[in-house]
Amino acid sequence: MAFEIQPTIGLIVYLHSVKHSRSLKQFGRLYYVSKRMRYALLYVNQDQQEAVTKKINLRRLCEAGGAFSFK
């Protein structure tokens, strides 16, 4: 059984409140939360990036900022 590395992409999500960062765990790996600047860094699979961005935008808790990839 071969181990395959899945390509991931990082999403910066700007939050209205830091309390809402806990609900982001259901979308991917929550890597970092800035309490002072109210943003979170979330890693998701690259093929799921558009769907996750749409789901985050539908929630009134936060707004999706930008997406950037790490290589």
Side-chain angles (χ1 to χ4, degrees):
M1 188 164 135
F3 178 73
E4 294 182 25
I5 297 176
Q6 296 180 346
T8 58
I9 193 164
L11 294 175
I12 295 179
V13 181
Y14 294 99
L15 305 168
H16 293 295
S17 174
V18 179
K19 289 182 182 180
H20 304 310
S21 64
R22 286 182 238 139
S23 65
L24 291 175
K25 290 181 183 179
Q26 65 184 352
F27 298 114
R29 291 180 308 231
L30 188 61
Y31 184 74
Y32 179 74
V33 177
S34 173
K35 293 180 183 177
R36 194 185 89 197
M37 298 180 68
R38 293 185 308 174
Y39 75 91
L41 180 57
L42 182 73
Y43 284 106
V44 297
N45 290 340
Q46 198 167 16
D47 55 346
Q48 298 175 347
Q49 184 251 334
E50 289 183 21
V52 169
T53 305
K54 286 180 185 178
K55 287 180 185 178
I56 289 174
N57 283 331
L58 287 176
R59 300 183 86 138
R60 302 292 172 149
L61 310 173
C62 46
E63 9 179 302
F68 56 94
S69 61
F70 293 100
K71 293 186 180 184

